[in-house]
mmCIF file of all heavy atoms in Angstrom:
data_model
loop_
_atom_site.group_PDB
_atom_site.id
_atom_site.type_symbol
_atom_site.label_atom_id
_atom_site.label_comp_id
_atom_site.label_asym_id
_atom_site.label_seq_id
_atom_site.Cartn_x
_atom_site.Cartn_y
_atom_site.Cartn_z
ATOM 1 N N GLN A 443 10.853 -10.127 -14.972
ATOM 2 C CA GLN A 443 10.836 -10.293 -16.428
ATOM 3 C C GLN A 443 10.517 -11.733 -16.818
ATOM 4 O O GLN A 443 9.892 -11.972 -17.850
ATOM 5 C CB GLN A 443 12.186 -9.871 -17.023
ATOM 6 C CG GLN A 443 12.431 -8.373 -17.010
ATOM 7 C CD GLN A 443 11.367 -7.597 -17.762
ATOM 8 O OE1 GLN A 443 10.955 -7.994 -18.857
ATOM 9 N NE2 GLN A 443 10.905 -6.508 -17.178
ATOM 10 N N ARG A 444 10.919 -12.668 -15.975
ATOM 11 C CA ARG A 444 10.691 -14.078 -16.305
ATOM 12 C C ARG A 444 9.296 -14.564 -15.914
ATOM 13 O O ARG A 444 8.800 -15.545 -16.477
ATOM 14 C CB ARG A 444 11.744 -14.957 -15.623
ATOM 15 C CG ARG A 444 13.164 -14.639 -16.086
ATOM 16 C CD ARG A 444 14.178 -15.610 -15.523
ATOM 17 N NE ARG A 444 15.546 -15.185 -15.811
ATOM 18 C CZ ARG A 444 16.621 -15.895 -15.520
ATOM 19 N NH1 ARG A 444 16.489 -17.086 -14.943
ATOM 20 N NH2 ARG A 444 17.829 -15.439 -15.797
ATOM 21 N N ILE A 445 8.667 -13.901 -14.954
ATOM 22 C CA ILE A 445 7.372 -14.408 -14.471
ATOM 23 C C ILE A 445 6.193 -13.520 -14.846
ATOM 24 O O ILE A 445 5.046 -13.933 -14.697
ATOM 25 C CB ILE A 445 7.374 -14.585 -12.939
ATOM 26 C CG1 ILE A 445 7.413 -13.225 -12.217
ATOM 27 C CG2 ILE A 445 8.529 -15.479 -12.495
ATOM 28 C CD1 ILE A 445 7.159 -13.316 -10.724
ATOM 29 N N LYS A 446 6.431 -12.315 -15.349
ATOM 30 C CA LYS A 446 5.327 -11.370 -15.538
ATOM 31 C C LYS A 446 4.308 -11.865 -16.567
ATOM 32 O O LYS A 446 3.116 -11.596 -16.427
ATOM 33 C CB LYS A 446 5.849 -9.986 -15.924
ATOM 34 C CG LYS A 446 6.529 -9.891 -17.268
ATOM 35 C CD LYS A 446 7.009 -8.466 -17.554
ATOM 36 C CE LYS A 446 5.856 -7.495 -17.642
ATOM 37 N NZ LYS A 446 6.303 -6.122 -17.986
ATOM 38 N N ALA A 447 4.765 -12.567 -17.590
ATOM 39 C CA ALA A 447 3.823 -13.059 -18.600
ATOM 40 C C ALA A 447 2.818 -14.019 -17.977
ATOM 41 O O ALA A 447 1.624 -13.990 -18.296
ATOM 42 C CB ALA A 447 4.576 -13.740 -19.737
ATOM 43 N N ARG A 448 3.309 -14.866 -17.062
ATOM 44 C CA ARG A 448 2.390 -15.819 -16.398
ATOM 45 C C ARG A 448 1.370 -15.069 -15.541
ATOM 46 O O ARG A 448 0.186 -15.391 -15.554
ATOM 47 C CB ARG A 448 3.196 -16.787 -15.533
ATOM 48 C CG ARG A 448 2.327 -17.687 -14.658
ATOM 49 C CD ARG A 448 3.157 -18.815 -14.059
ATOM 50 N NE ARG A 448 4.314 -18.330 -13.328
ATOM 51 C CZ ARG A 448 4.246 -17.915 -12.060
ATOM 52 N NH1 ARG A 448 3.098 -17.899 -11.417
ATOM 53 N NH2 ARG A 448 5.350 -17.519 -11.432
ATOM 54 N N HIS A 449 1.833 -14.063 -14.804
ATOM 55 C CA HIS A 449 0.902 -13.301 -13.979
ATOM 56 C C HIS A 449 -0.097 -12.535 -14.835
ATOM 57 O O HIS A 449 -1.269 -12.427 -14.485
ATOM 58 C CB HIS A 449 1.674 -12.330 -13.079
ATOM 59 C CG HIS A 449 2.218 -12.974 -11.846
ATOM 60 N ND1 HIS A 449 1.414 -13.369 -10.801
ATOM 61 C CD2 HIS A 449 3.481 -13.309 -11.497
ATOM 62 C CE1 HIS A 449 2.164 -13.908 -9.855
ATOM 63 N NE2 HIS A 449 3.409 -13.895 -10.246
ATOM 64 N N ALA A 450 0.350 -11.996 -15.965
ATOM 65 C CA ALA A 450 -0.558 -11.266 -16.847
ATOM 66 C C ALA A 450 -1.638 -12.186 -17.391
ATOM 67 O O ALA A 450 -2.800 -11.806 -17.526
ATOM 68 C CB ALA A 450 0.224 -10.626 -17.991
ATOM 69 N N ALA A 451 -1.257 -13.419 -17.690
ATOM 70 C CA ALA A 451 -2.232 -14.376 -18.217
ATOM 71 C C ALA A 451 -3.266 -14.749 -17.178
ATOM 72 O O ALA A 451 -4.417 -15.061 -17.505
ATOM 73 C CB ALA A 451 -1.512 -15.631 -18.703
ATOM 74 N N GLU A 452 -2.872 -14.710 -15.899
ATOM 75 C CA GLU A 452 -3.790 -15.085 -14.831
ATOM 76 C C GLU A 452 -4.764 -13.963 -14.478
ATOM 77 O O GLU A 452 -5.772 -14.189 -13.834
ATOM 78 C CB GLU A 452 -2.993 -15.468 -13.579
ATOM 79 C CG GLU A 452 -2.177 -16.737 -13.739
ATOM 80 C CD GLU A 452 -1.229 -16.962 -12.575
ATOM 81 O OE1 GLU A 452 -1.117 -16.059 -11.716
ATOM 82 O OE2 GLU A 452 -0.597 -18.037 -12.529
ATOM 83 N N ARG A 453 -4.438 -12.739 -14.876
ATOM 84 C CA ARG A 453 -5.246 -11.578 -14.496
ATOM 85 C C ARG A 453 -6.353 -11.334 -15.513
ATOM 86 O O ARG A 453 -6.106 -11.300 -16.710
ATOM 87 C CB ARG A 453 -4.347 -10.348 -14.409
ATOM 88 C CG ARG A 453 -5.085 -9.040 -14.171
ATOM 89 C CD ARG A 453 -5.650 -8.954 -12.770
ATOM 90 N NE ARG A 453 -4.570 -8.857 -11.812
ATOM 91 C CZ ARG A 453 -4.753 -8.874 -10.502
ATOM 92 N NH1 ARG A 453 -5.959 -9.016 -10.015
ATOM 93 N NH2 ARG A 453 -3.726 -8.788 -9.678
ATOM 94 N N HIS A 454 -7.578 -11.192 -15.079
ATOM 95 C CA HIS A 454 -8.663 -10.828 -15.979
ATOM 96 C C HIS A 454 -8.425 -9.427 -16.523
ATOM 97 O O HIS A 454 -8.172 -8.495 -15.769
ATOM 98 C CB HIS A 454 -10.007 -10.849 -15.248
ATOM 99 C CG HIS A 454 -10.446 -12.230 -14.858
ATOM 100 N ND1 HIS A 454 -10.757 -13.201 -15.774
ATOM 101 C CD2 HIS A 454 -10.637 -12.786 -13.641
ATOM 102 C CE1 HIS A 454 -11.109 -14.310 -15.142
ATOM 103 N NE2 HIS A 454 -11.047 -14.080 -13.850
ATOM 104 N N GLN A 455 -8.544 -9.258 -17.797
ATOM 105 C CA GLN A 455 -8.309 -7.944 -18.387
ATOM 106 C C GLN A 455 -9.435 -6.962 -18.070
ATOM 107 O O GLN A 455 -9.280 -5.756 -18.211
ATOM 108 C CB GLN A 455 -8.162 -8.083 -19.907
ATOM 109 C CG GLN A 455 -6.903 -8.840 -20.305
ATOM 110 C CD GLN A 455 -5.652 -8.230 -19.716
ATOM 111 O OE1 GLN A 455 -5.411 -7.037 -19.868
ATOM 112 N NE2 GLN A 455 -4.854 -9.034 -19.028
ATOM 113 N N ALA A 456 -10.569 -7.448 -17.636
ATOM 114 C CA ALA A 456 -11.696 -6.558 -17.339
ATOM 115 C C ALA A 456 -11.434 -5.628 -16.174
ATOM 116 O O ALA A 456 -12.152 -4.647 -15.980
ATOM 117 C CB ALA A 456 -12.954 -7.387 -17.054
ATOM 118 N N ASP A 457 -10.403 -5.906 -15.373
ATOM 119 C CA ASP A 457 -10.196 -5.071 -14.193
ATOM 120 C C ASP A 457 -9.253 -3.903 -14.459
ATOM 121 O O ASP A 457 -8.825 -3.229 -13.535
ATOM 122 C CB ASP A 457 -9.664 -5.903 -13.019
ATOM 123 C CG ASP A 457 -8.235 -6.406 -13.222
ATOM 124 O OD1 ASP A 457 -7.630 -6.131 -14.267
ATOM 125 O OD2 ASP A 457 -7.721 -7.073 -12.311
ATOM 126 N N VAL A 458 -8.916 -3.640 -15.728
ATOM 127 C CA VAL A 458 -7.967 -2.589 -16.047
ATOM 128 C C VAL A 458 -8.435 -1.261 -15.474
ATOM 129 O O VAL A 458 -9.496 -0.748 -15.820
ATOM 130 C CB VAL A 458 -7.776 -2.460 -17.569
ATOM 131 C CG1 VAL A 458 -6.883 -1.264 -17.887
ATOM 132 C CG2 VAL A 458 -7.196 -3.737 -18.149
ATOM 133 N N GLY A 459 -7.633 -0.702 -14.574
ATOM 134 C CA GLY A 459 -7.903 0.622 -14.050
ATOM 135 C C GLY A 459 -9.122 0.741 -13.167
ATOM 136 O O GLY A 459 -9.519 1.850 -12.820
ATOM 137 N N TRP A 460 -9.716 -0.366 -12.749
ATOM 138 C CA TRP A 460 -10.980 -0.254 -12.014
ATOM 139 C C TRP A 460 -10.803 0.435 -10.679
ATOM 140 O O TRP A 460 -11.691 1.185 -10.227
ATOM 141 C CB TRP A 460 -11.622 -1.639 -11.803
ATOM 142 C CG TRP A 460 -10.960 -2.435 -10.726
ATOM 143 C CD1 TRP A 460 -9.923 -3.299 -10.849
ATOM 144 C CD2 TRP A 460 -11.282 -2.418 -9.323
ATOM 145 N NE1 TRP A 460 -9.569 -3.812 -9.639
ATOM 146 C CE2 TRP A 460 -10.392 -3.300 -8.677
ATOM 147 C CE3 TRP A 460 -12.239 -1.748 -8.564
ATOM 148 C CZ2 TRP A 460 -10.422 -3.525 -7.314
ATOM 149 C CZ3 TRP A 460 -12.271 -1.969 -7.194
ATOM 150 C CH2 TRP A 460 -11.375 -2.850 -6.586
ATOM 151 N N ALA A 461 -9.666 0.226 -10.031
ATOM 152 C CA ALA A 461 -9.465 0.793 -8.698
ATOM 153 C C ALA A 461 -9.404 2.307 -8.737
ATOM 154 O O ALA A 461 -10.092 3.001 -7.984
ATOM 155 C CB ALA A 461 -8.177 0.225 -8.093
ATOM 156 N N GLU A 462 -8.573 2.831 -9.645
ATOM 157 C CA GLU A 462 -8.498 4.284 -9.758
ATOM 158 C C GLU A 462 -9.819 4.848 -10.260
ATOM 159 O O GLU A 462 -10.226 5.948 -9.875
ATOM 160 C CB GLU A 462 -7.354 4.669 -10.692
ATOM 161 C CG GLU A 462 -6.926 6.117 -10.583
ATOM 162 C CD GLU A 462 -6.408 6.478 -9.206
ATOM 163 O OE1 GLU A 462 -6.024 5.576 -8.437
ATOM 164 O OE2 GLU A 462 -6.397 7.684 -8.891
ATOM 165 N N ALA A 463 -10.517 4.078 -11.105
ATOM 166 C CA ALA A 463 -11.823 4.527 -11.586
ATOM 167 C C ALA A 463 -12.827 4.650 -10.444
ATOM 168 O O ALA A 463 -13.757 5.458 -10.509
ATOM 169 C CB ALA A 463 -12.351 3.555 -12.643
ATOM 170 N N ALA A 464 -12.630 3.850 -9.381
ATOM 171 C CA ALA A 464 -13.521 3.951 -8.222
ATOM 172 C C ALA A 464 -13.413 5.323 -7.578
ATOM 173 O O ALA A 464 -14.408 5.910 -7.144
ATOM 174 C CB ALA A 464 -13.203 2.847 -7.211
ATOM 175 N N TYR A 465 -12.192 5.855 -7.508
ATOM 176 C CA TYR A 465 -12.019 7.219 -7.008
ATOM 177 C C TYR A 465 -12.708 8.219 -7.933
ATOM 178 O O TYR A 465 -13.389 9.148 -7.491
ATOM 179 C CB TYR A 465 -10.535 7.571 -6.921
ATOM 180 C CG TYR A 465 -9.835 7.104 -5.667
ATOM 181 C CD1 TYR A 465 -8.844 6.135 -5.736
ATOM 182 C CD2 TYR A 465 -10.149 7.640 -4.431
ATOM 183 C CE1 TYR A 465 -8.177 5.712 -4.593
ATOM 184 C CE2 TYR A 465 -9.491 7.221 -3.282
ATOM 185 C CZ TYR A 465 -8.503 6.260 -3.368
ATOM 186 O OH TYR A 465 -7.852 5.845 -2.230
#
Side-chain angles (χ1 to χ4, degrees):
Q443 288 302 316
R444 298 186 188 185
I445 69 169
K446 66 180 297 183
R448 172 168 55 83
H449 278 288
E452 293 171 353
R453 174 71 68 186
H454 291 295
Q455 293 305 307
D457 69 0
V458 174
W460 76 270
E462 197 62 20
Y465 277 114

